[in-house]
Amino acid sequence: MNKDLAKERQSSVLRVQELNSFIGRNLFLSDERYKQVLDLKSVLASRIKSLYDENYENLERGQKYELVLKKSLELIEFASEHNVTNYMEYTYLIGEVMGTEKHLFGLHFTMFTISLELWSTPEQKAYWDRFLKENGVFGTYIQTEIGHGTFIRGLETTATYDRNAEEFILDSPTLTSIKFWPGASGKTCNYAIVMAKLIIDGKDHGIHAFVVQLRSLENHSPVPGIELGDIGKKHAYEAIDNGFVKFKNVRIPRNNMLMRFAQVLPNGEFKRLGNEIVMYACMLIMRGILCMFASLLQSISTTIAIRYSCVRRQTADPTGLEPQIIDYQTQQYRLLPGLATSYANFFATIYFRNILNSFRKRSKNFSEIETNELAKLHALSSGIKAIVFDECLKFGQINRLCCGGHGYSASSGLQPVIQEADAGCTYEGDNIVLYLQTARYLLKAVQKGFSPHLELDNLQQIEKSDLFKRFEKYILLFRNLYESQIGEISNRMFILIEEEKLDRFEAWNSSSVALIYINLFIVYMNLNGIYEHQKSECSENQVILEELFELYLSYGIVEKFPNHFLKLGLIDGNQMTDHQNRLYELLKKVRVNAVCLVDAFGWTDSNLASSLGVYDGNVYEKLFQFAKSSLFNQNSENPVFNKVARPYILAKSKL
């Protein structure tokens, strides 16, 4: 054990096991289930070797794909054997093997199966459940086109109904209609949910979902009429075969259209059944999963950077001793707000998951949800998804910089976090577009005279507590900031529309109000999490969590929204200075317990897949081992050098 890291743990008063249990209880909804998942994780670790122990980062792309495919299939078997059906639990478990690398069949267990569950009629659901079990189907979800992304109504892929054959004909009529980016479609999956424009007798009936076979179940060759393949190297995730798919007169049976909300009868008659807006519920569930994933991903990069910052010593002080770099205030200022944000976003995404589950249960799997409730959840999910991925990317990059040159090594484990967060700012909804969707909802709410807030069930109880009184000045500041900002933008919107006659798109084109609103939501969810923690009767941890929460609030005032607070007159210059000084004081307090706070996340070395973040702190040993394992070092001689450079050197030496 590295002596500096050991000293950090000995000096802290935080009780790691108790806090870890609280985190696990929130994540898996009960202590009992969390213990069961941990037991399964131990069994899994003993059975399947992790990528971290396979020299994964030093492999070529084809080798990575083969290894990830093999382990993905082994993980599916493990989950089936142990009856793990909850995808969040599954994701948590497979991190023991995959680290931060993607499971090859992630879309199969999310968008593909969720779409079948929510968009199928009962008869279709029964059929596809049986078909999938009996035929070894691996599915993906195909929506994005090479020329179309977030704007779903703009998709060009067509599904034209042929009433004589009672079939749909799928076609990619233009270059921009070619499907692009669907995960595991390039080489792996054999079925897909395809989003396409329904055409009957030349009439466009909008975008609908179709189950389409991509490859033969016998020899895995592409179905006639389908051209597909891998899109090539990306910024990250070399093992995942994101693909392109082009359709040319591909026929599928009429019943392959998922018809819970819209139906095409054999004679070609089109019927709407219920409220098709409920189709967006599938996206809500997916976003709920993604939000939790992003918050956990951020905690991984935070863990790596904080542990390394305690091990790394640099630049001698007047006594000749090199201090730990975490003792520099500049390092704390970059590093510790990310720790506070990791906890804040964890609480926020956990309770958003609970809100979604509550609505899902009350509305019978969203089938009876009211339109206004769905709109509220859509706006909230859009904003949360955007902010947690934005902050995961921001702090992931900061954490990389906090690790200096070694942070740039693939062995640091930070690149996959940064690259996943980078991609997450675009996939399942571009973040800027999502902020604008949230902003549009908020402004509509103001115009209609109702509050968009999703209040906590126990809010009145919390507001009577001493905990609320301690943070009341902060909470009121953020609440007033939102109210002032929404009021200002709403007034400007009225002037633009009524007096300057601009269209509504120009009027609501502001995302800052959405950012403030979602930040307010996170503040309340964090407060709720700390309030619930009081019941654990661990007073040492309670004090530390409250300090961490105050750091999050102070950072929001000083770094996130200072211009807004000052511009709207909610804080003056002297008060801003006071908040900044308080932020510096909190950095010192949080620094004392920083290592134990990241230990409480419970990540193993296999989860982190990082030489810099190893629990024992033996960083340099791991770095050197990684360097020696490079495939570039397999031969002591360099045949390429001898082939290319040696003749040049010999020619020069004769001159």
Side-chain angles (χ1 to χ4, degrees):
M1 175 69 70
N2 176 274
K3 63 180 182 179
D4 287 324
L5 213 49
K7 184 178 178 181
E8 293 290 332
R9 293 179 174 122
Q10 292 165 3
S11 302
S12 174
V13 297
L14 187 133
R15 291 157 62 178
V16 173
Q17 187 56 54
E18 284 83 348
L19 184 54
N20 176 257
S21 296
F22 178 72
I23 290 172
R25 181 163 66 250
N26 277 273
L27 190 58
F28 298 109
L29 302 177
S30 73
D31 285 316
E32 181 182 5
R33 186 54 187 163
Y34 181 47
K35 291 175 183 176
Q36 291 171 348
V37 171
L38 288 181
D39 289 342
L40 283 174
K41 197 175 180 183
S42 297
V43 174
L44 180 60
S46 67
R47 186 175 301 184
I48 305 177
K49 194 176 182 180
S50 74
L51 290 180
Y52 178 66
D53 295 322
E54 296 270 20
N55 197 28
Y56 178 75
E57 289 295 344
N58 277 321
L59 301 179
E60 301 295 337
R61 188 183 180 202
Q63 295 172 308
K64 288 182 175 181
Y65 172 76
E66 181 177 353
L67 189 59
V68 167
L69 176 59
K70 176 177 178 292
K71 291 190 183 295
S72 295
L73 293 172
E74 290 175 339
L75 287 165
I76 289 171
E77 284 300 304
F78 182 87
S80 176
E81 178 186 341
H82 294 278
N83 196 31
V84 179
T85 57
N86 180 287
Y87 188 71
M88 194 61 218
E89 293 181 358
Y90 182 58
T91 302
Y92 185 84
L93 281 171
I94 66 177
E96 186 64 32
V97 173
M98 307 298 287
T100 50
E101 181 59 77
K102 278 185 177 291
H103 186 278
L104 197 56
F105 300 107
L107 281 177
H108 173 87
F109 292 106
T110 52
M111 292 300 290
F112 183 76
T113 55
I114 291 171
S115 298
L116 288 174
E117 178 187 356
L118 294 183
W119 299 344
S120 298
T121 64
E123 295 78 17
Q124 286 179 319
K125 187 176 184 307
Y127 170 80
W128 287 113
D129 282 350
R130 184 175 64 254
F131 186 85
L132 265 57
K133 291 176 183 176
E134 294 175 355
N135 291 278
V137 168
F138 287 113
T140 186
Y141 179 85
I142 298 180
Q143 177 173 296
T144 300
E145 296 173 352
I146 199 170
H148 305 278
T150 305
F151 183 54
I152 298 175
R153 292 196 303 276
L155 297 179
E156 296 181 82
T157 302
T158 57
T160 304
Y161 185 62
D162 178 355
R163 61 169 53 86
N164 294 323
E166 295 188 19
E167 293 175 332
F168 293 103
I169 305 170
L170 269 74
D171 199 40
S172 304
T174 64
L175 172 64
T176 50
S177 70
I178 296 170
K179 297 295 187 181
F180 215 78
W181 285 105
S185 65
K187 294 290 183 182
T188 309
C189 287
N190 45 31
Y191 268 77
I193 301 291
V194 177
M195 304 302 289
K197 188 183 299 182
L198 171 62
I199 306 293
I200 304 176
D201 295 331
K203 183 178 180 181
D204 180 353
H205 290 276
I207 304 299
H208 296 271
F210 301 85
V211 184
V212 182
Q213 184 173 357
L214 302 179
R215 292 180 171 89
S216 165
L217 295 175
E218 306 244 335
N219 59 18
H220 206 60
S221 61
V223 166
I226 296 181
E227 180 184 354
L228 74 174
D230 180 79
I231 65 170
K233 292 192 70 172
K234 308 173 289 291
H235 274 214
Y237 298 110
E238 291 185 305
I240 306 301
D241 54 320
N242 295 81
F244 64 85
V245 184
K246 183 179 180 182
F247 302 100
K248 185 175 181 180
N249 299 323
V250 177
R251 289 180 172 268
I252 61 173
R254 181 180 65 88
N255 283 329
N256 279 34
M257 173 180 165
L258 300 183
M259 298 192 189
R260 181 180 174 189
F261 301 106
Q263 186 178 33
V264 176
L265 300 180
N267 64 2
E269 181 183 354
F270 177 77
K271 288 185 175 182
R272 293 203 179 276
L273 307 172
N275 188 355
E276 67 174 349
I277 199 172
V278 179
M279 290 185 71
Y280 288 102
C282 181
M283 187 61 72
L284 285 178
I285 296 170
M286 187 63 191
R287 282 195 186 145
I289 294 171
L290 285 175
C291 290
M292 292 173 64
F293 171 68
S295 74
L296 295 174
L297 199 64
Q298 185 183 337
S299 72
I300 285 176
S301 76
T302 301
T303 299
I304 293 169
I306 285 178
R307 286 180 179 169
Y308 178 70
S309 293
C310 293
V311 171
R312 181 72 171 183
R313 289 179 172 272
Q314 191 161 301
T315 309
D317 63 17
T319 67
L321 178 69
E322 287 187 291
Q324 296 166 277
I325 60 174
I326 198 171
D327 285 332
Y328 290 101
Q329 187 183 71
T330 51
Q331 186 80 342
Q332 294 172 12
Y333 199 91
R334 294 192 298 171
L335 199 61
L336 300 183
L339 173 60
T341 303
S342 293
Y343 270 85
N345 287 348
F346 172 78
F347 285 126
T349 55
I350 286 294
Y351 289 115
F352 176 62
R353 183 271 313 269
N354 295 346
I355 289 169
L356 277 180
N357 287 345
S358 176
F359 271 98
R360 189 175 184 180
K361 184 177 181 180
R362 293 203 312 264
S363 64
K364 297 181 180 178
N365 207 15
F366 297 114
S367 64
E368 297 178 1
I369 193 170
E370 296 181 9
T371 303
N372 65 327
E373 290 180 328
L374 189 62
K376 184 183 291 188
L377 289 176
H378 170 70
L380 192 57
S381 72
S382 297
I384 294 175
K385 183 268 178 184
I387 199 171
V388 293
F389 273 103
D390 273 350
E391 292 185 333
C392 185
L393 176 59
K394 170 188 172 181
F395 287 110
Q397 181 63 17
I398 288 173
N399 289 333
R400 205 288 296 164
L401 293 170
C402 284
C403 292
H406 291 325
Y408 200 68
S409 167
S411 73
S412 73
L414 292 168
Q415 278 74 17
V417 174
I418 294 168
Q419 291 157 344
E420 173 66 30
D422 193 4
C425 291
T426 301
Y427 65 57
E428 303 302 334
D430 179 273
N431 280 5
I432 294 299
V433 176
L434 295 183
Y435 281 133
L436 290 174
Q437 289 178 355
T438 303
R440 179 167 56 179
Y441 170 80
L442 295 172
L443 291 167
K444 283 183 177 179
V446 170
Q447 287 181 311
K448 293 179 180 179
F450 68 88
S451 171
H453 302 305
L454 273 169
E455 304 289 10
L456 296 167
D457 292 337
N458 59 344
L459 183 60
Q460 290 184 340
Q461 188 179 7
I462 291 177
E463 288 183 337
K464 294 177 182 177
S465 68
D466 291 336
L467 179 67
F468 184 84
K469 291 176 183 176
R470 178 184 171 186
F471 295 107
E472 186 172 11
K473 67 175 183 179
Y474 290 108
I475 294 167
L476 290 179
L477 266 178
F478 280 97
R479 183 113 191 186
N480 290 338
L481 176 62
Y482 168 69
E483 299 292 352
S484 299
Q485 180 78 351
I486 194 74
E488 180 188 57
I489 294 175
S490 181
N491 290 335
R492 187 168 75 243
M493 179 179 177
F494 177 82
I495 292 171
L496 289 171
I497 294 173
E498 298 299 327
E499 297 182 13
E500 300 185 23
K501 306 302 180 184
L502 293 181
D503 61 34
R504 291 182 179 273
F505 178 84
E506 292 293 334
W508 62 259
N509 191 15
S510 171
S511 60
S512 62
V513 66
L515 183 60
I516 295 169
Y517 170 67
I518 297 301
N519 201 84
L520 178 62
F521 174 83
I522 293 173
V523 167
Y524 271 107
M525 295 303 107
N526 206 346
L527 179 69
N528 185 57
I530 298 172
Y531 179 79
E532 290 296 320
H533 179 269
Q534 285 181 325
K535 301 173 184 177
S536 69
E537 299 180 357
C538 185
S539 57
E540 297 95 334
N541 289 0
Q542 183 68 18
V543 170
I544 294 167
L545 286 178
E546 289 180 19
E547 290 173 349
L548 197 63
F549 183 36
E550 189 176 1
L551 175 59
Y552 176 78
L553 295 167
S554 298
Y555 185 77
I557 294 168
V558 174
E559 283 290 333
K560 279 188 177 180
F561 307 115
N563 292 339
H564 291 86
F565 279 113
L566 292 168
K567 176 187 172 185
L568 295 168
L570 299 172
I571 291 178
D572 62 28
N574 291 330
Q575 290 170 323
M576 184 62 74
T577 300
D578 290 340
H579 281 291
Q580 191 166 42
N581 290 334
R582 180 57 180 162
L583 176 58
Y584 291 137
E585 293 172 5
L586 289 164
L587 291 175
K588 294 178 183 178
K589 290 176 177 289
V590 171
R591 180 257 176 274
V592 176
N593 300 293
V595 168
C596 286
L597 280 166
V598 296
D599 285 352
F601 287 124
W603 298 124
T604 64
D605 287 352
S606 294
N607 289 134
L608 300 176
S610 168
S611 59
L612 307 187
V614 286
Y615 184 83
D616 63 15
N618 293 326
V619 168
Y620 303 122
E621 294 88 341
K622 297 292 184 182
L623 273 170
F624 189 47
Q625 180 183 347
F626 177 80
K628 291 195 296 182
S629 299
S630 170
L631 299 184
F632 221 41
N633 295 327
Q634 281 186 335
N635 297 319
S636 57
E637 295 184 3
N638 189 339
V640 174
F641 182 88
N642 290 333
K643 176 182 176 182
V644 177
R646 180 64 62 187
Y648 175 83
I649 294 171
L650 290 174
K652 286 289 184 181
S653 67
K654 293 176 182 178
L655 293 178

